[in-house]
Amino acid sequence: MRIVVKVGTSTIAHPTGRLNIRHVDQLVRVMADLKNAGHELILVSSGAIGMGVGKLNLKTRPDDIPSKQAAAAVGQCELMYTYDKLFGSYNHTVGQMLITSEDIEDENRRTNFENTMNRLLELGAIPVINENDTTSTSEIRVGDNDTLGAIVAKATGADILILLSDIDGLYDDNPSVNPDAVLIRQVDEITEEITAMAGGAGSEFGTGGMATKIAAARMVTEIGCDMVIINGNNPERMYDAIEGTVLGTRFSGCK
Ligand code: ADP
């Protein structure tokens, strides 16, 4: 299977912005094992700005663009250093790809991006993809990595897109507001009712929330790719997601 994994800042960093070693260790171990089992893996990882905030010992996430981009420049190094070291310990090679929306919207650049990503897979490497937070401004941003994950899944004809989130899956109402909200395990069709269940952006460091996840599901299910939301506290749940049982929410691709 060709598997795209998207991991949110809230999974890979503590609220302090510092690396969540337990989560990242488990994430890399499971992905390395899935690769050993013969699957192809692509990682879309957020977290550059959050990690930079931690590494630079900033008290809060900055508001101004130059400081955010400086934090991203520092944090992206820290992220790749970590992935390179951890995947390397399982004898796997990573390749970094940083993109902006222009790389997707412009046909020539998109072809280039897709060719590089596919060649990395052919060479047995694990592409690690992120928005280029050091140069992208609001006009040229994809905006969030749920959407970027869906773009990558479509571009590579992936079988499954796995979103590791700070929550177990899609609930019928925002569980941070409504404690009686119920987890939805399976979505066969993205109806207006499903779309209405998603609120706005969620955590302090994340930018997506459920709305972007539903939009991502709509993009990938159209091409027959499944999408699964699971809790990033338990990267081991990726095994179940691949085997078809989901301890989260599965959106079935149109077959
Ligand atoms: P991550 O980047 O870790 O995926 P996000 O903040 O982007 O985190 O998205 C998850 C958040 O979306 C949840 O923590 C929750 O606050 C919010 N949310 C809003 N509506 C819902 C819903 N219907 N079901 C689940 N989470 C929801």
Side-chain angles (χ1 to χ4, degrees), residues 6 8-11 146 164-167 169-176 197-203 206-210 212-213:
K6 177 262 169 177
T9 308
S10 48
T11 298
D146 297 324
L164 294 175
S165 184
D166 65 351
I167 194 130
L170 173 70
Y171 285 74
D172 63 355
D173 194 8
N174 187 346
S176 51
M197 290 171 185
S203 59
T207 45
M210 268 307 137
T212 53
K213 291 176 181 54

Side-chain angles (χ1 to χ4, degrees), residues 159 221 224-226 252-255:
D159 299 293
T221 52
C225 171
D226 284 359
S252 300
C254 315
K255 296 285 177 327

Side-chain angles (χ1 to χ4, degrees), residues 25-160:
D25 261 349
Q26 286 181 5
L27 168 75
V28 171
R29 191 164 47 80
V30 176
M31 285 185 69
D33 194 28
L34 289 170
K35 185 144 173 60
N36 285 350
H39 300 291
E40 287 180 315
L41 273 301
I42 300 169
L43 179 60
V44 176
S45 177
S46 310
I49 298 178
M51 298 279 289
V53 169
K55 183 98 177 173
L56 291 166
N57 288 317
L58 304 179
K59 296 240 165 356
T60 52
R61 192 184 167 100
D63 289 328
D64 65 296
I65 290 172
S67 302
K68 272 195 208 168
Q69 298 195 320
V74 171
Q76 183 65 28
C77 283
E78 173 86 346
L79 259 187
M80 285 315 296
Y81 167 71
T82 305
Y83 287 131
D84 191 36
K85 190 173 53 162
L86 294 178
F87 277 111
S89 71
Y90 296 106
N91 227 359
H92 290 303
T93 302
V94 294
Q96 171 185 259
M97 294 186 72
L98 297 177
I99 60 164
T100 64
S101 65
E102 289 172 325
D103 297 310
I104 289 145
E105 279 152 21
D106 180 279
E107 206 180 313
N108 286 335
R109 286 170 69 163
R110 189 177 61 240
T111 305
N112 220 2
F113 159 66
E114 292 177 2
N115 287 347
T116 308
M117 197 161 46
N118 284 312
R119 181 56 50 87
L120 278 169
L121 291 171
E122 282 164 23
L123 291 168
I126 299 174
V128 180
I129 301 172
N130 195 8
E131 180 117 38
N132 191 345
D133 289 326
T134 59
T135 56
S136 60
T137 48
S138 53
E139 305 81 58
I140 57 162
R141 285 185 70 77
V142 177
D144 68 275
N145 274 1
D146 297 324
T147 307
L148 185 56
I151 288 168
V152 168
K154 275 186 93 164
T156 53
D159 299 293
I160 185 166

